[in-house]
Amino acid sequence: MADFLWLMYLGFMGTTAIWFLIKGKYKNNITRLDFVISIITWFGLFGYVTGTEMLTPIVWKFVFIFGLLWDVLFTIFFTDRFAGDFGLEEDEKEMPLGAKLSGLLFVVPLYYGIFQYAF
């Protein structure tokens, strides 16, 4: 059952990233960098879920550290600035901290998997 849930999470993360790419939501360099980092972390989670050995553990340790740091920085500092690129209303007030933290909560399984894969 756990493997099925991991595969569902993996599929959801990959589908979301590809959907944003197809819809042209990555309009500037910051959001494109976010896409690239998302794809790299997705490959790490894919390796963990499927038990496939890709690259070396030291690479995944760096991916874990820098990916997690990037997600926290992007969510807290850049989400409001690039809201229009992701289809959100730019006229609205700044996103509440609770909403940002719940967004970060969604990626906890991603970084748990990468951590297990790297260490």
Side-chain angles (χ1 to χ4, degrees), residues 4-112:
F4 178 71
L5 293 176
W6 274 113
L7 287 173
M8 283 183 54
Y9 182 75
L10 182 66
F12 180 76
M13 295 293 284
T15 304
T16 303
I18 299 301
W19 177 258
F20 272 77
L21 180 66
I22 291 171
K23 290 296 183 179
K25 300 294 183 180
Y26 301 109
K27 296 180 181 177
N28 57 55
N29 290 337
I30 295 291
T31 55
R32 287 182 191 126
L33 177 62
D34 183 54
F35 175 70
V36 169
I37 292 171
S38 295
I39 293 300
I40 292 169
T41 58
W42 186 88
F43 277 119
L45 184 63
F46 177 82
Y48 170 69
V49 170
T50 61
T52 307
E53 199 171 316
M54 293 184 285
L55 304 176
T56 62
I58 190 76
V59 171
W60 296 114
K61 288 174 184 171
F62 280 109
V63 168
F64 171 76
I65 292 167
F66 291 114
L68 182 60
L69 182 63
W70 171 256
D71 265 344
V72 169
L73 290 174
F74 184 80
T75 301
I76 292 176
F77 296 111
F78 296 121
T79 303
D80 293 327
R81 183 171 176 205
F82 299 111
D85 291 347
F86 290 117
L88 304 172
E89 297 296 325
E90 291 186 53
D91 305 357
E92 295 180 14
K93 293 181 357 184
E94 185 174 308
M95 185 184 291
L97 182 60
K100 291 178 181 181
L101 291 177
S102 64
L104 286 175
L105 188 63
F106 181 73
V107 296
V108 167
L110 170 69
Y111 288 104
Y112 171 80

